[in-house]
Amino acid sequence: MNDKLVISSSPHIRTVESVQSVMIDVLVALFPVALISVLLFGYQALVIMLIAIASAMLAEAAWLRKLDFFGDGSAAVTGLLLAMTLPASAPWWLVMIGSVSAIIIGKQVFGGVGHNIFNPALVGRAILVISWGGHMAGNVWPVPKPFAFTADISAVTTATPLAGTEQALNTTLSQLFIGNVAGSLGETSALALLVGAFWLLYKGHIDWRIPGGFIGTVFIMGAALGEGFYYNQLLTGLFHVLAGGVLLGALFMATDMVTSPVTNRGKLIFGAGCGLMTMLIRLFGVFPEGVTYAILLMNALTPVIDNFTLPKKFGEVKRSA
Amino acid sequence: MGSAAFRGGVHPHYRKELTASLAITSMPPPAKVVIPLQQHIGAPAESLVKIGDQLLLGQKIGDSKGFVSAPVHASVSGTVVAVGPYNHPLGRKVEAITIQSDGLDTWHGEVKPAGSLDLMTPEQIRGLIREAGLVGMGGATFPTHVKLAPPAEKPIDTVIINGAECEPYLTADHRMMLEKPGDIIFGLKVMMKVLGASRGIIGIESNKPDALRVMKQAVEGEAEISVVSLHTKYPQGAEKMLIYVTTKRKVPSGGLPMDVGVVNHNVGTAIALAEVIKEGKPLIQRVVTVTGEGVIRPANLMVRIGTLVSDLLSFCGGLRETTRKLINGGPMMGLALAGEDIPVIKGTSGILALTDDDVDLARQRTCIKCAKCVSVCPVNLAPTFIAQAAEHSLIQRADKLHAADCIECGCCAFICPARIPLTQWIRLAKADILDRRKQQQK
């Protein structure tokens, strides 16, 4: 009749949000921690982030044979997240290999965004840790030099606080909170991570249950089982939350929409599972840090968790057997 | 008295300001009306007239023997010029009677006041309602007399009048509450009398403070009737949500409001019911909000049933060039129309013209499992999983995921950042599930 009119099923209006706008929101949320990492580790941090983002976008564009480099924005997010897990001393080729493996092996071989089982950035990081352990190990990471705008990579290296008791004792909790400690770009400043996470919570892109379950479990297990660095088990629990990759993992990696459950109960279980695995690795495993493998393991369980935690439908009648 | 909140829901742009302040005006009867014989849920009516017949205003022209059905009436006086299939808002052709108006609006002799309400039995009132062709005017068009005749084992203690009007753009119910509060309360009392209900509740969303004020004034001194302010959140007017927030009762899955002692009616139905009892008028007209950025002069109009959308729109100054979608009803649950040569039916609460700016033609992307659909679903489903199952024709899985409980409110598809037509997939799954259940029963 009138060929100008669009015929489609209701609803006829849509939210303004799109996959791209969600991804841009995540990039915005990572801005505070990115800024802090540049202040702490100098221009090297910025270079690493730019290389990671650019190679992720290029790898995706090449795989999809498309010139739209930014696309839905998910490649940029993966690249930046991967950069956050790398030390400021990481050489350029290491960053590139990590980023390309994250996109290709972590995401595209599964069918692209939405189809991947594992968090792509963590897949990239896991590959780097296994293949170039020397560059990724905790004892070669630069000590931050606030406002020096350059990191002295060759001379000053120290262990991440988690690597041993001695370093831990020298690291105060307030330093951990602000981020003035050795670590990867994104795991130093708890404050910056929290600011970004609150933005995502406000926008409704993440749910408190995953970080809540994750951080809560780490705290409880750290307080109950951790070695008493601070002569106070509660502070020890807090140390386990603030040190290493727990906050970055809990707030930005475990909350990855694609690889975490969609149900509310599932999210809580998923978060708690990440926390449990992290602490088992930290306390009883051979590695000082376990966030990466904890999240990857829980990613694999996501479909199962979803299946067992489907919400109870409205007005469900209890059936007596 | 405030109300509880239901879980989920969304906050679309309401855009009610286009017509909220415009009083209902009567559109003069058009030269021609097309009255479909099916304007309700249930058995279609059968034509009682043939080409050439002279009809009077309010004369019954179609009826059915089925209980779940409703007759239709002439909405103008004049001559039958065609009986046959005609375009229908549902998208297919339906048997319809076309009447050429003589412009005189001569009432049929049977249209007269029914007498004193106090002397009537519930049975008599139900009969009058059926004869008047009353159906749910919120859009569902379920025959009113059937809703007012629950089986004896389901006693009704509460009648809820739905003045939520949670659909964006629409203001017909809002204006009716402002302009005819007395008829709404009269209609509600008739419903309570027929059902033997002791309590009447009028639920209105908080974004209509003037309607809340007017209705509260109107129920002063009525001990059995209360007006409840509802949170402004879509789908507040959905039957199960409205019952839950006003009475804290949950309609069981697969059940009906009467299972929890409640019957819901739209404000428009209450007014139409009042007119049946007071004046004997069958349902020949209704209030339609003609709105959207595509309409030159938006309005709330009293329109004869069977008026063609083209006539309605030209009365409102026509459509803008930029119009891209024409909808029968609201933007969340309405039906997209293929053109203007379609009649207004008893369930047409609005005619909405959306423009290029509102019609989102963005490409569908892959689900990123953001879980927004899960968190907005008012009946606690996991829409993305049901849609996935439907897409792969896994009907049993869709059934296990409770697809049949979907109320098709559209929240999931509205919120989806990947623009997946979730509601449409679930509708498909639902239809397949219901078909399968029917076959199993045979």
Side-chain angles (χ1 to χ4, degrees):
Chain A
M1 292 200 269
N2 182 339
D3 52 5
K4 250 185 71 187
L5 291 179
V6 177
I7 310 291
S8 66
S9 187
S10 67
H12 306 288
I13 48 174
R14 300 300 185 103
T15 171
V16 292
E17 247 169 33
S18 64
V19 172
Q20 193 187 53
S21 79
V22 171
M23 295 298 167
I24 290 173
D25 283 337
V26 176
L27 290 175
V28 170
L30 284 168
F31 182 76
V33 68
L35 185 72
I36 296 258
S37 74
V38 173
L39 292 179
L40 294 176
F41 297 112
Y43 73 90
Q44 284 92 335
L46 186 63
V47 171
I48 287 173
M49 288 187 269
L50 292 178
I51 294 176
I53 292 173
S55 15
M57 295 202 305
L58 279 169
E60 178 150 299
W63 180 277
L64 298 174
R65 291 176 190 83
K66 273 206 288 199
L67 284 174
D68 176 16
F69 289 105
F70 189 73
D72 58 21
S74 62
V77 169
T78 299
L80 185 54
L81 278 174
L82 173 76
M84 289 299 152
T85 70
L86 302 177
S89 56
W92 62 269
W93 52 268
L94 190 79
V95 182
M96 275 184 73
I97 292 173
S99 225
V100 172
S101 348
I103 293 297
I104 305 299
I105 301 173
K107 192 168 79 172
Q108 292 300 347
V109 293
F110 291 100
V113 66
H115 298 296
N116 50 303
I117 299 168
F118 301 102
N119 184 316
L122 291 181
V123 169
R125 177 182 154 83
I127 288 170
L128 295 185
V129 170
I130 293 167
S131 312
W132 290 278
H135 287 287
M136 300 292 290
N139 58 359
V140 295
W141 291 6
V143 157
K145 291 167 81 180
F147 303 104
F149 300 109
T150 179
D152 193 349
I153 291 167
S154 55
V156 191
T157 57
T158 180
T160 156
L162 272 175
T165 330
E166 206 177 317
Q167 282 84 2
L169 277 172
N170 294 331
T171 313
T172 67
L173 285 175
S174 59
Q175 274 179 317
L176 277 174
F177 187 69
I178 297 161
N180 197 7
V181 290
S184 72
L185 302 188
E187 53 182 46
T188 51
S189 171
L191 182 65
L193 289 169
L194 285 170
V195 168
F198 275 113
W199 160 251
L200 289 182
L201 272 174
Y202 167 75
K203 294 291 276 186
H205 298 328
I206 64 174
D207 187 279
W208 64 268
R209 290 175 181 86
I210 292 175
F214 197 150
I215 295 167
T217 308
V218 166
F219 177 78
I220 292 168
M221 286 187 71
L225 304 170
E227 285 179 53
F229 299 145
Y230 294 97
Y231 316 106
N232 176 334
Q233 286 306 109
L234 288 180
L235 287 178
T236 306
L238 194 58
F239 168 78
H240 273 285
V241 170
L242 293 176
V246 167
L247 284 181
L248 179 65
L251 299 171
F252 288 95
M253 301 287 189
T255 51
D256 169 39
M257 295 166 168
V258 177
T259 56
S260 63
V262 302
T263 67
N264 285 344
R265 277 186 301 153
K267 284 174 180 167
L268 202 57
I269 293 170
F270 177 87
C274 288
L276 177 73
M277 292 312 299
T278 300
M279 289 311 285
L280 287 179
I281 295 171
R282 275 189 182 179
L283 297 172
F284 307 110
V286 292
F287 295 110
E289 178 59 302
V291 173
T292 302
Y293 295 104
I295 296 175
L296 288 173
L297 192 89
M298 293 309 292
N299 286 161
L301 293 178
T302 292
V304 184
I305 296 174
D306 265 338
N307 234 342
F308 281 103
T309 55
L310 286 169
K312 220 170 97 178
K313 62 184 173 174
F314 184 93
E316 185 145 40
V317 189
K318 274 186 199 135
R319 282 191 194 83
S320 45
Chain B
M1 183 171 137
S3 77
F6 64 92
R7 177 198 168 281
V10 293
H11 296 278
H13 287 299
Y14 287 94
R15 310 261 177 104
K16 292 190 186 258
E17 65 282 359
L18 286 171
T19 50
S21 59
L22 304 174
I24 299 168
T25 48
S26 274
M27 175 179 162
K32 182 180 92 172
V33 291
V34 179
I35 301 177
L37 289 161
Q38 172 111 53
Q39 302 187 38
H40 49 264
I41 290 175
E46 278 158 41
S47 172
L48 302 173
V49 297
K50 56 185 188 304
I51 293 175
D53 282 2
Q54 295 296 312
L55 300 179
L56 296 172
L57 184 57
Q59 185 175 343
K60 189 158 82 173
I61 56 174
D63 204 350
S64 153
K65 291 193 177 68
F67 177 61
V68 183
S69 186
V72 293
H73 301 80
S75 58
V76 292
S77 58
T79 317
V80 177
V81 293
V83 179
Y86 205 91
N87 301 326
H88 189 280
L90 281 173
R92 52 171 197 259
K93 289 191 190 267
V94 167
E95 286 290 306
I97 295 163
T98 306
I99 308 168
Q100 193 74 46
S101 169
D102 58 14
L104 300 173
D105 272 355
T106 321
W107 278 101
H108 191 251
E110 280 174 22
V111 177
K112 55 178 186 280
S116 168
L117 179 64
D118 300 332
L119 300 176
M120 280 187 256
T121 65
E123 207 43 58
Q124 282 172 318
I125 299 173
R126 272 195 287 267
L128 289 173
I129 292 170
R130 200 209 93 89
E131 277 308 299
L134 244 62
V135 301
M137 294 177 74
T141 65
F142 194 78
T144 305
H145 66 277
V146 182
K147 254 186 169 177
L148 292 177
E153 69 272 17
K154 308 261 186 204
I156 304 297
D157 63 0
T158 305
V159 178
I160 300 174
I161 294 295
N162 188 348
E165 201 163 48
C166 58
E167 271 277 3
Y169 286 97
L170 302 186
T171 55
D173 294 352
H174 183 184
R175 291 310 308 182
M176 284 190 270
M177 289 189 282
L178 289 179
E179 297 175 30
K180 291 192 167 171
D183 276 1
I184 293 172
I185 289 159
F186 185 87
L188 170 57
K189 282 182 178 166
V190 176
M191 291 166 183
M192 288 164 66
K193 178 184 161 100
V194 173
L195 291 163
S198 57
R199 178 165 67 143
I201 298 173
I202 301 167
I204 304 169
E205 266 191 357
S206 59
N207 62 353
K208 295 179 266 293
D210 48 352
L212 274 163
R213 201 170 50 240
V214 168
M215 291 308 300
K216 274 181 179 161
Q217 254 167 21
V219 298
E220 258 171 42
E222 307 277 359
E224 296 174 327
I225 301 175
S226 56
V227 173
V228 180
S229 168
L230 312 169
H231 292 285
T232 300
K233 178 164 86 165
Y234 180 86
Q236 187 61 268
E239 200 166 67
K240 290 180 177 187
M241 296 7 332
L242 183 64
I243 293 172
Y244 175 64
V245 300
T246 51
T247 65
K248 288 278 172 66
R249 297 179 194 172
K250 277 192 177 178
V251 177
S253 162
L256 291 169
M258 64 180 179
D259 294 329
V260 291
V262 177
V263 163
N264 267 346
H265 285 285
N266 174 264
V267 289
T269 316
I271 293 176
L273 176 50
E275 285 175 356
V276 171
I277 305 297
K278 285 180 179 172
E279 301 165 52
K281 264 193 197 170
L283 186 56
I284 55 155
Q285 58 182 7
R286 68 155 296 140
V287 180
V288 179
T289 304
V290 186
T291 185
E293 282 75 5
V295 177
I296 306 260
R297 282 195 308 272
N300 295 301
L301 294 177
M302 181 62 89
V303 180
R304 300 292 168 93
I305 304 290
T307 301
L308 293 176
V309 170
S310 50
D311 289 336
L312 188 61
L313 288 170
S314 35
F315 184 73
C316 293
L319 289 178
R320 276 181 226 284
E321 277 292 296
T322 49
T323 302
R324 283 309 291 281
K325 210 173 205 179
L326 206 53
I327 296 159
N328 175 87
M332 292 300 286
M333 289 188 78
L335 299 160
L337 300 178
E340 298 177 27
D341 189 21
I342 295 173
V344 166
I345 62 170
K346 293 175 183 177
T348 305
S349 45
I351 294 293
L352 174 60
L354 296 178
T355 61
D356 290 320
D357 295 342
D358 316 305
V359 180
D360 190 330
L361 298 173
R363 185 169 69 89
Q364 182 187 332
R365 291 178 179 270
T366 316
C367 171
I368 53 166
K369 290 183 61 200
C370 68
K372 286 174 197 274
C373 58
V374 180
S375 61
V376 299
C377 179
V379 287
N380 301 359
L381 305 181
T384 179
F385 291 151
I386 302 175
Q388 232 170 43
E391 212 172 336
H392 296 100
S393 301
L394 300 171
I395 302 309
Q396 261 177 324
R397 168 140 176 95
D399 197 2
K400 252 177 103 176
L401 291 165
H402 312 304
D405 280 68
C406 172
I407 59 170
E408 303 180 26
C409 64
C411 286
C412 51
F414 170 83
I415 206 76
C416 180
R419 300 288 182 274
I420 300 169
L422 293 163
T423 315
Q424 193 176 358
W425 281 119
I426 299 171
R427 252 185 220 129
L428 279 175
K430 228 174 122 172
D432 281 352
I433 290 166
L434 297 180
D435 271 359
R436 186 175 284 207
R437 283 185 192 167
K438 261 184 208 158
Q439 276 171 6
Q440 278 167 354
Q441 274 168 3
K442 273 175 193 166

